[in-house]
C-alpha cells in the first residue's frame, strides 16, 4: 500500500527555539525536539524546567537523540554540517562542548578514503567530520534498519524498525509498545535503557510521549506498511502473553486456596 504520510520537509526540522535547523537534537519526555544547546539554555538551574513548546516540566537534560542526529546527517548533509560547524565555533568560545555521537559508520567509506587522501587527516576530528558530511550526497531514502532501530531487550523479540517511538533520557528510542512491556517509569523505577549499549537508568515520572517527528519519517518510508504490521503483531503477542500470565497466576492462587482446605 502507498504511504499516506509525507516525509518531514527541511522546514519541519527547524528548532522552535532558535528557528535554525536542529543541531544535535534532543527529545523531551513530551516528544518535542530541540537543539541540544537550546534545550540546555532553556533549563532553569534553580527550579523545574519546562518544555519551551508545551511547558511540560522536566528535570534532566536528555542526551542527543542519535537516530535524529544520524537522520539529519544523511538527509541534509551540507546543511547539517554547516549547523554542526556553527555550533562547534560557538562551543570553542565558551569552552563547553556538547556530546558528539559520530555518524561516520553510517556513510559511504569510499568517500572517507577520498577525503583522507586530500590531506585532511591532520585537522581536528570535528572539522574532519564536517568536511566529510559536506562531501556527502543526501540520502533521501533513509536506511531505516540502521537508524530507526528498536532493540527492546526482550528474549523473544528480535531487533526491528521503530514504530511510535518514544525517546528515553539517554537519547535512545524504543517503540512505545516495547517500552510499555519492558520498562517502568516513576520515582522507584529501576528500569535500564534496553538498547544494550548505554544501560542508563530510565528517568521520568511517566512514559515519554511518542516523538511525532520521528514517527512521520518512519510512516513516510517505503517500508512503513510492513513496520506497522510487525508492530501490530508484537502488540497482539504481548497482549496474549499478559493474558496467559494472568490466567496462570489465577490458577496458582486457586491451587493455593485448595491446599489450605
Ligand atoms: Zn535551536
Ligand atoms: Zn513539549
Ligand atoms: Zn540508551
Ligand atoms: Zn520496538
Amino acid at each position: 500500500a502507498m504511504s499516506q504520510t509525507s516525509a518531514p520537509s527541511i522546514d519541519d526540522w527547524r528548532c522552535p527555539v532558535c528557528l535554525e535547523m536542529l543541531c544535535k537534537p534532543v527529545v523531551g519526555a513530551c516528544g518535542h525536539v530541540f537543539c541540544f544547546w537550546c534545550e540546555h539554555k532553556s533549563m532553569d538551574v534553580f527550579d523545574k524546567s519546562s518544555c519551551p513548546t508545551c511547558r511540560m516540566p522536566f528535570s534532566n537534560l536528555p542526551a542527543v537523540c542519535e537516530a535524529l542526529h544520524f537522520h539529519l546527517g544523511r538527509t541534509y548533509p551540507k546543511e547539517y554540517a554547516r549547523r554542526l560547524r556553527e555550533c562547534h565555533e560557538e562551543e570553542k568560545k565558551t569552552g563547553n562542548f556538547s556530546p558528539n555521537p559520530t555518524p561516520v559508520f553510517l556513510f559511504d567509506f569510499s568517500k572517507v578514503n577520498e577525503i583522507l587522501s586530500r590531506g585532511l587527516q591532520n585537522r581536528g576530528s570535528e572539522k574532519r567530520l564536517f568536511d566529510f558530511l559536506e562531501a556527502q550526497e543526501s540520502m533521501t531514502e533513509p536506511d531505516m534498519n540502521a537508524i530507526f532501530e528498536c532493540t527492546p531487550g526482550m528474549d523473544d523479540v528480535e531487533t526491528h524498525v521503530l514504530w511510535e517511538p518514544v525517546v528515553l533520557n539517554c537519547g535512545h528510542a524504543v517503540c512505545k509498545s516495547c517500552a510499555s512491556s519492558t520498562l517502568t517509569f516513576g520515582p522507584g523505577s529501576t528500569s535500564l535503557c534496553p538498547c544494550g549499549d548505554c544501560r542508563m537508568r530510565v528517568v521520568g515520572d511517566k512514559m515519554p510521549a511518542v516523538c511525532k517527528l520521528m514517527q512521520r519519517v518512519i510512516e513516510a518510508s517505503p517500508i512503513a506498511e510492513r513496520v506497522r504490521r510487525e508492530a501490530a503483531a508484537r502488540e497482539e503477542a504481548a497482549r496474549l502473553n499478559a493474558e496467559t500470565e494472568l490466567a496462570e497466576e489465577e490458577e496458582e492462587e486457586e491451587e493455593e486456596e485448595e491446599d489450605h482446605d
Side-chain angles (χ1 to χ4, degrees):
M2 277 294 289
S3 175
Q4 304 288 306
T5 312
S6 62
S9 72
I10 193 161
D11 286 331
D12 293 313
W13 297 103
R14 267 180 212 281
C15 165
V17 174
C18 67
L19 306 177
E20 299 267 2
M21 174 181 268
L22 289 160
C23 183
K24 298 190 179 174
V26 298
V27 183
C30 53
H32 289 128
V33 191
F34 305 93
C35 307
F36 175 84
W37 283 118
C38 288
E39 180 90 333
H40 190 278
K41 284 174 198 154
S42 79
M43 284 188 82
D44 190 324
V45 275
F46 301 110
D47 204 353
K48 270 225 162 207
S49 306
S50 56
C51 168
T53 297
C54 71
R55 298 278 134 213
M56 186 202 255
F58 70 96
S59 39
N60 296 74
L61 179 69
V64 176
C65 173
E66 288 185 4
L68 293 182
H69 178 66
F70 296 157
H71 178 68
L72 285 171
R74 286 185 65 126
T75 316
Y76 310 104
K78 288 171 185 62
E79 292 85 350
Y80 199 54
R82 184 185 60 78
R83 284 292 285 138
L84 291 173
R85 215 185 283 273
E86 270 175 15
C87 173
H88 186 65
E89 289 305 315
E90 282 299 308
E91 289 174 350
K92 280 203 297 203
K93 287 183 206 156
T94 62
N96 294 326
F97 293 91
S98 52
N100 215 359
T102 306
V104 165
F105 75 95
L106 288 168
F107 295 96
D108 175 359
F109 279 95
S110 61
K111 289 260 177 64
V112 179
N113 291 331
E114 187 191 314
I115 289 162
L116 290 180
S117 69
R118 279 191 248 142
L120 296 172
Q121 69 269 40
N122 296 325
R123 297 172 55 182
S125 64
E126 289 85 5
K127 282 215 164 59
R128 212 162 84 206
L129 171 65
F130 308 152
D131 291 339
F132 175 64
L133 269 177
E134 273 184 352
Q136 288 291 313
E137 296 294 322
S138 79
M139 298 182 194
T140 45
E141 201 91 313
D143 186 347
M144 306 304 290
N145 294 308
I147 301 183
F148 298 104
E149 187 182 65
C150 175
T151 48
M154 293 182 266
D155 290 340
D156 50 346
V157 183
E158 280 177 32
T159 299
H160 50 263
V161 177
L162 290 161
W163 188 255
E164 299 189 326
V166 299
V167 180
L168 305 175
N169 216 64
C170 57
H172 292 124
V174 194
C175 311
K176 189 179 180 182
S177 65
C178 292
S180 62
S181 353
T182 53
L183 305 177
T184 56
F185 294 86
S189 170
T190 53
S191 290
L192 302 177
C193 170
C195 78
D197 288 329
C198 81
R199 309 305 290 155
M200 259 174 72
R201 205 169 58 78
V202 162
V203 298
D205 296 337
K206 56 181 197 299
M207 166 92 75
V210 169
C211 177
K212 294 208 174 105
L213 197 53
M214 198 189 297
Q215 173 65 8
R216 248 181 84 190
V217 177
I218 299 162
E219 278 183 28
S221 84
I223 59 168
E225 191 49 37
R226 196 198 82 206
V227 180
R228 190 191 59 74
R229 274 201 311 273
E230 286 173 358
R234 277 194 307 276
E235 266 181 65
E236 178 64 9
R239 196 183 59 78
L240 288 175
N241 234 341
E243 272 180 17
T244 317
E245 271 171 30
L246 196 69
E248 278 170 8
E249 271 170 32
E250 277 169 10
E251 238 167 64
E252 275 168 28
E253 272 167 30
E254 272 168 30
E255 276 168 24
E256 271 171 31
E257 273 167 28
E258 277 166 22
D259 288 346
H260 286 298
D261 288 342

